[in-house]
Amino acid sequence: MTKFFFGNWVTRCYLLAVAAAAVFLLGAHLVTGDEGPSFAGIYLIGLTAPVSVIFAPIALLGGGWLASAMLWLSVVAGMLLNTLLINTIVGEAGRFRSRRA
């Protein structure tokens, strides 16, 4: 499981960017005290697109615990899918590079 999340530098950079955006969003919620949608959520949704974009309008329109749960679950699902795609693309490029050598 560690190799899946931290197997290459591209995946590590992506996960660091997602973690930084999540901390930025949580910090914005703590500073403002507002549970409503904020501009900080756009960064997190953009980094975990396309999965989180499907649920983003629903999560950003409503308020309460259901909208927050939908936002965070869609972000986690998008992060996992993008991590899988990044690992697949980087792995294929590595195999192609070693085949040519």
Side-chain angles (χ1 to χ4, degrees), residues 12-63:
R12 287 189 289 262
C13 289
Y14 172 72
L15 292 175
L16 180 67
V18 170
V23 167
F24 184 65
L25 177 65
L26 291 174
H29 281 299
L30 289 175
V31 168
T32 61
D34 186 20
E35 286 296 319
S38 67
F39 192 77
I42 304 287
Y43 298 123
L44 196 56
I45 291 168
L47 282 170
T48 58
V51 173
S52 62
V53 172
I54 296 169
F55 298 106
I58 298 167
L60 292 177
L61 286 177

Side-chain angles (χ1 to χ4, degrees), residues 34-88:
D34 186 20
E35 286 296 319
S38 67
F39 192 77
I42 304 287
Y43 298 123
L44 196 56
I45 291 168
L47 282 170
T48 58
V51 173
S52 62
V53 172
I54 296 169
F55 298 106
I58 298 167
L60 292 177
L61 286 177
W65 68 272
L66 187 59
S68 297
M70 287 179 65
L71 175 69
W72 287 107
L73 289 174
S74 66
V75 163
V76 168
M79 180 195 66
L80 290 174
L81 178 68
N82 288 343
T83 302
L84 177 69
L85 291 173
I86 289 169
N87 282 334
T88 303

